[in-house]
Amino acid sequence: MPTDLTIAAAAERLRRGDLTAVDLTQTALDRIAATDGAIHAFLTVTPDEALAAARAADAALASGTAAGPLTGIPIAVKDVIATAGIRTTAASKILADFVPAYDATVTRRLKDAGAVIVGKVNCDEFAMGSSNENSAYGVTRNPWDLDRVPGGSSGGSAAAVAAGQALASLGTDTGGSIRLPASYTGIVGMKPTYGRVSRFGVVAYASSLDQVGPMTRDVTDCALVLATLAGHDPRDSTSVHRPVGDYAAAVADGVAGARGLRIALPREYFGEGMQPAVEQAVRTAATTFRDAGATVHDASLPHTEHAVGTYYILATAEASSNLARYDGIRYGLRAPTDGGLLDLYRQTRAAGFGPEVKRRIMLGTYVLSSGYYDAYYLKAQKVRTLIRRDFEQVFAGSDVIMTPVAPTTAFRIGEKTADPLQMYLSDVFMISINLAGLPAIVLPCGVDEHGMPIGLQIVGPPFGEEIVLRAARAFEAATKWHQLRPPDLAERKPPN
Amino acid sequence: MKISVEQIRHVALLARLALTPAEEEELTTSLDQILQHMDKLNQLDTSAVEPTAHIVAIDTPWREDVVTNAPDTDALLANAPARDDDLFLVPKIID
């Protein structure tokens, strides 16, 4: 099936003319129709716009004016990313009918590259969650096991790629929201360095941490999509002026890219509470790298145990400010009320936000409130400095850091919903990387005893996307984990 | 307990959230648990540490003060919950 192809393979067939963008797009739309009853990755499917974009792509391919390798490639976009004229809900009731008047910069870049957007995909409400169970529109299911979560918050983005509904997707990552679902669904996902990709038009959760990134079937595709997304945007004052690296060249060496790499394994990322198969897969990955000519050494990130506390102070504080804009006045839901303005605000936000969003707004408001600011918010900003320094010290003697993505593989739907703190702790190996603003990729490195995918995380220094991609491609070229696909979904129905 | 139900009510007012009694009770329990976890940060001496607000040092960017988007009132008001001609309609706020 052509929607199981990588972007690189599909682009080659499109160039040769033995596949058309319209056929490829129609196959994706058919696949969505056949499988999304079971998966529920999509909140909005856009067949008319997708087929129009595909026809334009076919014309560009025929006339030799195609913009690049994404021309005619079906891609799904997380529903926190603005798409002009297409409903963008952030998986929240408060934006149920919101239709943006403009494209996010990343949406615009995909369109300019000739990509075909097939629809908007599910996530945790306002990207707040680790399982996709916080969507106001129902949970997305993991294509490998429909009883399990796809991870969050970009769960729909991950499931769509894993299930062959799109060749790639965009996710966002504030505290692991690209990398955890990529790991849980056996695909590749990358969070770029903070500032590498524009946040303009992305529904804000925690502005000092949010980044958009690619979710793909392999590392080469990840490099292709990142090359399209990356670059300075005058509309995002935190996007940087640095030149964009040559990501295609970074993945060109295959397994030889591992030669001479100095890889650090942080000891705080292993131990108690870890599923043995996960630790085993990461240790085996270290051996794979050694066999390919890399050196692997132990290292320490001593403030790791404080990352979750630090993150949930800073992220919820920023969220409480960012979400103040949903007031029922200019856009979004407005609750009916007989009272005055204050009552309108309180009833609108009570009706429009789900339980986890309310919890984070409450937490963020509390840590910023009078008398608690120094104890929580300022303290967390200082610990953020310590966490950042931990990484600086390791990178002084290493090219990349390699870690597990999460202590376990994908958990069962409902397993952690009763205990918010336990859910937060599933992000423990990803959150420090957001706090330090670093680039990190996740790629498949094994399966556990239930056949569920295990992910490997490779972290680089600031703006080290090229070395991260080079290391990831070397591992991929030496292994076959990226070729595994979930069991066929065409005939499966959601379990009761 | 780190937080009382009275504090939850006060924070909910600051956050402009109307909560049900069941939500107040659940949030008192869950915020208490989360804040206790956060208190582990106090094990660290940060008296000599500078705070990090943003990971990339960026100067305030400047641009010419010119309009860059075409004024499209209808497109911008299309999402308004209530409008009257070119205006947002809101409840009466001054008696």
Side-chain angles (χ1 to χ4, degrees):
Chain A
M1 189 177 58
T3 55
D4 275 336
L5 294 172
T6 61
I7 295 174
E12 179 55 29
R13 290 183 60 180
L14 288 167
R15 259 196 309 277
R16 284 206 309 261
D18 52 81
L19 178 67
T20 67
V22 168
D23 283 346
L24 180 58
T25 300
Q26 190 59 56
T27 308
L29 294 169
D30 293 346
R31 179 75 178 165
I32 294 166
T35 59
D36 215 43
I39 302 290
H40 189 45
F42 281 80
L43 295 179
T44 307
V45 184
T46 54
D48 295 347
E49 292 83 355
L51 288 167
R55 284 190 291 272
D58 279 331
L61 287 157
S63 65
T65 55
L70 297 193
T71 300
I73 301 296
I75 292 182
V77 175
K78 185 177 183 179
D79 214 21
V80 296
I81 297 173
T83 42
I86 305 294
R87 190 173 82 123
T88 299
T89 67
S92 179
K93 277 190 222 165
I94 213 161
L95 289 175
D97 302 312
F98 179 71
V99 179
Y102 59 89
D103 278 328
T105 296
V106 289
T107 305
R108 174 49 44 201
R109 281 173 171 266
L110 284 184
K111 288 180 178 175
D112 288 348
V116 173
I117 295 172
V118 289
K120 303 298 293 294
V121 276
N122 201 9
C123 54
D124 287 294
E125 183 178 4
F126 285 101
M128 297 180 188
S130 309
S131 68
N132 234 84
E133 292 166 292
N134 297 333
S135 169
Y137 303 105
V139 68
T140 296
R141 292 173 182 276
N142 192 315
W144 293 81
D145 179 347
L146 299 178
D147 288 332
R148 293 179 190 268
V149 302
S153 67
S154 310
S157 305
V161 174
Q165 298 173 327
L167 273 63
S169 61
L170 296 189
T172 62
D173 192 316
T174 305
S177 281
I178 288 174
R179 292 164 287 153
L180 188 69
S183 176
Y184 281 4
T185 60
I187 65 167
V188 173
M190 186 170 193
K191 183 198 92 68
T193 309
Y194 183 84
R196 184 65 292 175
V197 173
S198 169
R199 295 181 297 110
F200 177 77
V202 180
V203 175
Y205 159 23
S207 303
S208 82
L209 302 161
D210 300 341
Q211 266 298 281
V212 180
M215 303 179 75
T216 58
R217 297 234 160 80
D218 69 11
V219 176
T220 302
D221 283 3
C222 182
L224 290 175
V225 179
L226 183 62
T228 303
L229 303 179
H232 176 248
D233 177 10
R235 287 169 153 159
D236 173 4
S237 62
T238 63
S239 93
V240 296
H241 273 283
R242 296 170 69 105
V244 174
D246 188 345
Y247 304 139
V251 297
D253 289 344
V255 69
R259 230 172 268 154
L261 271 183
R262 297 168 301 163
I263 300 173
L265 280 183
R267 65 182 67 99
E268 292 81 4
Y269 284 56
F270 297 89
E272 214 183 320
M274 176 164 286
Q275 191 179 341
V278 172
E279 173 152 2
Q280 186 56 46
V282 178
R283 301 273 182 208
T284 303
T287 305
T288 303
F289 270 112
R290 280 197 192 97
D291 291 347
T295 58
V296 182
H297 58 272
D298 283 341
S300 178
L301 295 164
H303 295 95
T304 299
E305 65 171 309
H306 299 291
V308 170
T310 303
Y311 173 87
Y312 279 95
I313 291 170
L314 297 178
T316 60
E318 293 184 28
S320 73
S321 304
N322 274 325
L323 272 61
R325 73 190 69 181
Y326 302 102
D327 56 6
I329 302 299
R330 290 148 301 149
Y331 51 80
L333 180 78
R334 178 185 291 186
T337 168
D338 300 328
L341 193 64
L342 180 62
D343 200 41
L344 184 149
Y345 292 155
R346 298 184 71 205
Q347 297 302 334
T348 293
R349 291 160 64 80
F353 292 139
E356 182 59 27
V357 173
K358 287 178 186 170
R359 179 177 298 118
R360 295 198 193 187
I361 290 173
M362 289 290 291
L363 201 48
T365 306
Y366 177 81
V367 299
L368 289 175
S369 64
S370 176
Y372 297 99
Y373 179 90
D374 284 1
Y376 289 101
Y377 188 72
L378 187 63
K379 181 80 184 181
Q381 285 191 315
K382 290 180 171 184
V383 179
R384 188 177 186 181
T385 303
L386 297 175
I387 290 168
R388 181 164 55 85
R389 284 187 195 153
D390 281 356
F391 283 99
E392 284 168 5
Q393 277 162 16
V394 173
F395 282 121
S398 320
D399 298 308
V400 293
I401 297 171
M402 190 167 84
T403 81
V405 179
T408 69
T409 56
F411 48 89
R412 289 181 186 281
I413 291 169
E415 191 177 323
K416 295 193 184 182
T417 41
D419 189 342
L421 184 59
Q422 279 310 307
M423 188 75 90
Y424 294 177
L425 290 170
S426 45
D427 300 338
V428 60
F429 299 148
M430 287 168 293
I431 266 174
S432 307
I433 284 99
N434 298 82
L435 291 168
L438 303 171
I441 199 167
V442 161
L443 71 164
C445 72
V447 292
D448 73 359
E449 59 278 20
H450 309 293
M452 296 304 293
I454 300 169
L456 178 70
Q457 175 168 252
I458 299 173
V459 186
F463 301 99
E465 277 79 7
E466 286 165 284
I467 192 107
V468 168
L469 287 164
R470 183 181 125 197
R473 176 62 196 136
F475 177 78
E476 184 183 77
T479 57
K480 293 194 184 304
W481 299 113
H482 61 291
Q483 292 167 4
L484 285 184
R485 297 284 182 269
D488 187 51
L489 298 158
E491 302 305 318
R492 290 158 75 192
K493 298 277 176 282
N496 292 315
Chain B
M1 291 292 280
K2 294 292 299 176
I3 193 161
S4 63
V5 72
E6 288 73 27
Q7 282 175 296
I8 289 285
R9 287 184 190 132
H10 171 68
V11 173
L13 180 63
L14 294 176
R16 302 294 184 255
L17 279 171
L19 299 178
T20 65
E23 284 176 321
E24 288 175 353
E25 193 183 327
E26 192 283 325
L27 285 165
T28 307
T29 308
S30 67
L31 260 61
D32 186 65
Q33 191 193 8
I34 296 161
L35 290 167
Q36 286 193 32
H37 179 80
M38 289 171 171
D39 277 352
K40 283 190 195 166
L41 298 188
N42 293 325
Q43 297 165 3
L44 297 169
D45 178 5
T46 52
S47 52
V49 180
E50 287 295 310
T52 296
H54 249 284
I55 213 73
V56 183
I58 298 171
D59 295 331
T60 304
W62 295 86
R63 68 168 176 86
E64 291 303 313
D65 186 14
V66 291
V67 175
T68 56
N69 56 314
D72 187 345
T73 310
D74 271 334
L76 296 174
L77 278 166
N79 286 299
R83 69 182 278 192
D84 181 12
D85 198 16
D86 282 353
L87 304 169
F88 294 105
L89 272 187
V90 295
K92 190 175 174 187
I93 54 168
I94 301 166
D95 285 320

